[in-house]
Amino acid sequence: CMENVFVMSEVNPNNYRNLKFNPFDPIQQLFARTELIEDESLRNEIFRQRIEFCLEYLQKTGRIPVLRDHTHTDFLGIGLDELKIKTSLLDALEGSFETVSVLTVRHPVDTYLSIEKNGWLGPIKSFDEFCLRMIFLIKSYSNVVCFKYEDFCKKPEDTVYQICNNLELQFSEKFLIEFHKIKLTGDS
């Protein structure tokens, strides 16, 4: 809802585990039925190529891209033994694209209750384990400015202004009027 900004919501180069039927995408069929999916380097290259195509298209149409990382892929959707400090999206784009990042977080209790209610706990066995996973997330993004969902709820204009400022985007005071018109994933 910021002027000329296009948000690609919940992207992550490691979110390939739940491949669904998609006749448009032959690469997805390769991921589903060959060892290609195991090659992280090649997977990241395919991901970068797709991002590059999107960025070129958006630039031609006068829009500014914003990639909204699906961090749940890296911290909530995997086994505890796979947890590590990482920023998959930023790592995949490093060296190919200039990036500016912010992190938004919600209070752990509210987040946990929300993912529990939606049936998204996956491999998470307890609230304590969930908190451990959130610590990995926070440590992974320790060099990025962090914004709290609760601050956004109390002062949406101030918080969004600060986010735009950090992302070097032009802030629009009309965002509260326009926001409900935009369909994004991850609005749970």
Side-chain angles (χ1 to χ4, degrees):
C1 53
M2 297 304 146
E3 192 172 335
N4 298 323
V5 170
F6 185 89
V7 176
M8 290 183 262
S9 189
E10 297 190 310
V11 296
N12 187 296
N14 290 324
N15 195 359
Y16 55 82
R17 289 176 177 87
N18 295 317
L19 298 174
K20 304 285 187 223
F21 177 68
N22 182 353
F24 180 78
D25 189 1
I27 296 284
Q28 199 165 350
Q29 291 184 33
L30 287 174
F31 280 160
R33 299 188 357 238
T34 71
E35 65 286 343
L36 174 63
I37 203 163
E38 302 303 324
D39 187 336
E40 183 177 6
S41 176
L42 191 52
R43 226 179 32 243
N44 281 344
E45 179 57 32
I46 293 166
F47 184 81
R48 277 191 298 276
Q49 289 173 4
R50 290 173 173 207
I51 294 296
E52 186 172 356
F53 175 84
C54 293
L55 298 182
E56 287 174 5
Y57 173 78
L58 291 172
Q59 185 177 15
K60 285 178 191 174
T61 60
R63 290 179 256 182
I64 302 163
V66 170
L67 303 181
R68 180 171 173 251
D69 193 348
H70 189 262
T71 55
H72 284 76
T73 299
D74 294 330
F75 302 101
L76 303 181
I78 59 175
L80 264 180
D81 58 326
E82 298 176 76
L83 268 182
K84 58 186 170 188
I85 305 295
K86 64 181 170 185
T87 55
S88 294
L89 178 60
L90 295 175
D91 294 345
L93 301 179
E94 188 176 23
S96 298
F97 303 99
E98 198 174 311
T99 61
V100 180
S101 298
V102 299
L103 176 66
T104 57
V105 295
R106 186 176 180 190
H107 191 283
V109 171
D110 293 329
T111 304
Y112 182 82
L113 291 174
S114 177
I115 64 172
E116 183 181 51
K117 175 183 162 193
N118 285 296
W120 298 335
L121 284 175
I124 302 168
K125 309 241 185 303
S126 68
F127 178 68
D128 287 342
E129 180 184 318
F130 171 78
C131 289
L132 174 65
R133 292 166 178 273
M134 296 310 296
I135 289 168
F136 272 86
L137 171 92
I138 299 296
K139 285 184 177 180
S140 293
Y141 290 90
S142 63
N143 62 336
V144 169
V145 179
C146 184
F147 294 93
K148 297 176 185 172
Y149 173 76
E150 293 77 13
D151 292 342
F152 169 77
C153 291
K154 290 177 193 169
K155 294 184 175 184
E157 293 91 348
D158 292 346
T159 305
V160 172
Y161 177 83
Q162 291 174 33
I163 290 172
C164 286
N165 192 44
N166 277 274
L167 294 177
E168 302 170 9
L169 298 172
Q170 184 175 352
F171 174 75
S172 170
E173 293 180 2
K174 297 187 287 184
F175 85 92
L176 282 175
I177 298 167
E178 300 293 323
F179 186 71
H180 73 281
K181 297 176 185 176
I182 299 171
K183 300 280 187 220
L184 292 176
T185 59
D187 64 352
S188 58

